[in-house]
């Protein structure tokens, strides 16, 4: 039998070599020339090996950008009779496990390391609701806007998506380590708290959008164009608490809204009408008045008839921050729990707004939107919760230690 030709030798080497290195959990680059079957492995980090630090001045998962592809928000209620000691034990346990999971390690005593080893930018963020402040005897330290957001005329809030004593926000680019982290964290909390609600969201996969573009929501719109740039002074001023009690400095405030979208009627609406409702183009996210995605809409521009190109009720016009105090960071995740038994979609967005003060940021902006936003024809706010996001913690400490005094 004749010896295999160069192409067959190359194919056998590539397949055999690839099987060997993949089986060992290590990626390698194979350099092969005809007549010179030399293999030169080059170490490459496996897909999913990216990690985000847990410890730091701020909690992770807020300005971790781009936002991960998958998110789970859990609202927990503390067991009756919980006090500072119980909450302190819970936060110490949750913080330790979160730090391990985010670094690609399983929690202590867990033997399923394989599920944790590739965290895919896993982040765990904790939020404290009014009930937690009450439980630890510090009700007066809960900001009034967190204790009770104003009612907006367009709200149709369902209690099953609202409230909560403790928030766990868990995000990752891979649903497997995300599911594992959620399971382990809820297991940690099971003896001290019960699950009030679970909301799951998603974003377009990384790499599916042009570099630098913001992700699309289920309306097909680019969502988050007006966010302050990652790492910018504007983001720092908008998101992080700089003045206040020491336990709060470096933290933030989260308003989480569940917004149902009427996708059937939106689908049947004309493309031009959709773009005018938002005041931005669907394909690029650019203003209908011209420019690129990150240019602002100019409501002064008129068409050839002298008529304004942008309506005063267009979403971008109503949502635009009118003062520096109204700036916030928006992390939107789509959800899709449908179709319902009658075939209708049950889908929308989990809108997470982070700001130093929700009373001066989220509240006035949402009041304007509720008053006159043409997008109200297609969106309904059905869930609402607000949480204090404590600052981050140092290695060996836990989130909320300064507030809990333990």
């Amino acid at each position: 039998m004749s010896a295999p030709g160069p192409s067959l030798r190359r194919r056998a080497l590539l397949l055999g070599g690839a099987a060997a290195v993949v089986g060992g959990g290590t990626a390698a680059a194979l350099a092969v020339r005809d007549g010179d079957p030399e293999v030169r492995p080059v170490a490459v980090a496996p897909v999913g090996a990216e990690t985000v630090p847990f410890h730091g001045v701020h909690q992770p998962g807020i300005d971790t950008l781009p936002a991960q592809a998958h998110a789970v928000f859990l609202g927990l209620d503390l067991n009756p009779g919980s006090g500072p000691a119980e909450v302190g034990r819970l936060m110490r346990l949750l913080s330790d496990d979160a730090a391990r999971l985010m670094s690609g390690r399983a929690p202590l005593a867990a033997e399923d390391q394989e599920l944790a080893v590739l965290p895919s930018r896993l982040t765990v963020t904790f939020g404290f609701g009014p009930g937690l402040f009450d439980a630890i005897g510090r009700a007066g330290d809960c900001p009034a806007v967190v204790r009770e957001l104003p009612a907006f005329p367009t709200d149709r809030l369902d209690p099953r998506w609202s409230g909560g004593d403790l928030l766990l926000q868990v995000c990752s680019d891979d649903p497997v380590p995300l599911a594992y982290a959620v399971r382990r964290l809820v297991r940690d909390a099971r003896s001290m708290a019960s699950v009030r609600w679970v909301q799951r969201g998603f974003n377009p996969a990384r790499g599916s959008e042009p570099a630098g573009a913001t992700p699309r929501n289920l309306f097909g719109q680019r969502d988050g164009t007006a966010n302050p740039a990652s790492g910018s002074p504007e983001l720092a001023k908008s998101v992080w608490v700089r003045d206040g009690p020491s336990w709060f400095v470096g933290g933030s405030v989260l308003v989480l809204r569940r917004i149902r979208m009427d996708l059937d009627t939106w689908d049947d609406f004309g493309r031009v009408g959709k773009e005018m409702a938002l005041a931005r183009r669907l394909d690029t996210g650019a203003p209908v008045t011209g420019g690129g995605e990150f240019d602002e809409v100019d409501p002064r521009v008129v068409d050839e008839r002298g008529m304004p190109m942008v309506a005063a009720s267009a979403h971008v016009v109503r949502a635009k921050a009118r003062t520096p105090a109204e700036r916030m960071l928006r992390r939107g995740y789509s959800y899709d729990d449908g179709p319902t038994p009658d075939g209708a979609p049950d889908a929308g967005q989990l809108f997470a707004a982070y700001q130093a003060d929700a009373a001066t940021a989220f509240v006035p902006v949402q009041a304007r939107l509720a008053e006159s936003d043409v997008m109200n024809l297609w969106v309904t706010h059905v869930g609402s919760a607000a949480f204090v996001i404590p600052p981050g913690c140092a290695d060996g400490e836990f989130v909320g230690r300064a507030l809990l005094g333990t």
Side-chain angles (χ1 to χ4, degrees):
M1 178 183 294
S2 61
S7 61
L8 288 178
R9 288 200 305 271
R10 183 163 56 250
R11 176 177 174 81
L13 180 60
L14 286 170
L15 291 176
V21 295
V22 172
T26 304
L30 304 178
V32 182
R33 296 191 301 272
D34 287 346
D36 181 18
E38 179 185 359
V39 179
R40 296 193 296 273
V42 179
V44 178
V47 175
E50 300 162 279
T51 60
V52 178
F54 175 76
H55 300 105
V57 175
H58 311 299
Q59 286 198 64
I62 299 174
D63 64 345
T64 302
L65 299 174
Q68 296 96 319
H70 304 275
V72 176
F73 296 86
L74 296 102
L76 306 180
D77 284 337
L78 298 170
N79 291 344
S82 297
E86 289 78 15
V87 176
R89 285 197 299 271
L90 175 59
M91 291 310 303
R92 185 183 299 277
L93 180 59
L94 289 173
S95 296
D96 182 72
D97 279 1
R100 293 174 182 276
L101 289 160
M102 284 177 53
S103 68
R105 297 174 294 153
L108 281 175
E111 298 182 357
D112 35 15
Q113 176 67 32
E114 295 79 7
L115 291 172
V117 71
L118 296 175
S120 298
R121 298 197 305 139
L122 177 76
T123 57
V124 180
T125 313
F126 301 107
F128 295 171
L132 186 144
F133 284 88
D134 296 344
I136 64 173
R138 301 192 61 167
D141 287 317
C142 180
V145 70
V146 172
R147 185 166 292 280
E148 186 173 8
L149 282 169
F152 301 102
T154 52
D155 286 354
R156 300 294 183 269
L157 302 183
D158 187 333
R160 66 175 173 149
W161 305 122
S162 303
D165 298 340
L166 176 65
L167 170 79
L168 275 63
Q169 172 192 301
V170 190
C171 305
S172 175
D173 286 322
D174 187 331
V176 173
L178 174 66
Y180 178 66
V182 169
R183 175 160 56 87
R184 296 300 310 199
L185 293 167
V186 171
R187 177 174 172 169
D188 285 347
R190 193 178 299 157
S191 64
M192 291 174 268
S194 59
V195 176
R196 182 185 182 101
W197 45 256
V198 181
Q199 305 189 61
R200 303 177 185 276
F202 56 89
N203 269 321
R206 292 178 67 191
S208 64
E209 297 282 2
T214 51
R216 295 185 186 277
N217 60 28
L218 294 181
F219 281 149
Q221 304 161 333
R222 297 207 176 277
D223 200 341
T225 298
N227 273 336
S230 176
S232 67
E234 182 183 24
L235 184 144
K237 293 177 182 178
S238 302
V239 173
W240 308 122
V241 174
R242 294 177 294 165
D243 301 310
S246 59
W247 64 263
F248 200 5
V249 173
S252 190
V253 173
L254 166 65
V255 176
L256 178 65
R257 305 281 281 188
R258 184 181 182 90
I259 305 173
R260 188 176 64 237
M261 295 176 170
D262 187 347
L263 293 173
D264 276 350
T265 58
W266 178 259
D267 287 344
D268 295 337
F269 199 53
R271 187 180 183 88
V272 172
K274 292 177 181 178
E275 294 184 336
M276 296 310 295
L278 186 67
R280 288 188 176 272
R281 293 176 53 179
L282 290 174
D283 55 353
T284 64
V288 294
T289 53
E293 181 190 346
F294 297 100
D295 291 323
E296 292 190 1
V297 172
D298 186 350
R300 300 168 299 177
V301 175
V302 297
D303 62 18
E304 64 277 3
R305 299 170 298 169
M307 301 294 292
M309 289 188 64
V310 177
S313 60
H315 178 74
V316 168
V317 176
R318 304 300 292 179
K320 176 180 171 59
R322 299 182 180 179
T323 68
E326 290 187 358
R327 297 286 289 172
M328 55 185 138
L329 176 65
R330 303 166 172 88
R331 284 172 64 102
Y333 286 92
S334 298
Y335 75 87
D336 188 351
D337 293 345
T340 60
D342 62 359
D346 179 8
Q349 184 181 65
L350 306 179
F351 175 80
Y354 293 91
Q355 60 260 287
D357 185 354
T360 62
F362 175 82
V363 170
V365 172
Q366 182 55 34
R368 277 200 306 274
L369 293 172
E371 178 187 37
S372 177
D373 175 13
V374 70
M375 292 300 297
N376 290 333
L377 293 169
W378 298 280
V379 302
T380 306
H381 289 236
V382 296
S384 180
F387 301 91
V388 166
I389 305 298
C393 64
D395 192 4
E397 298 184 347
F398 62 90
V399 172
R401 179 184 177 189
L403 175 66
L404 294 164
T406 56

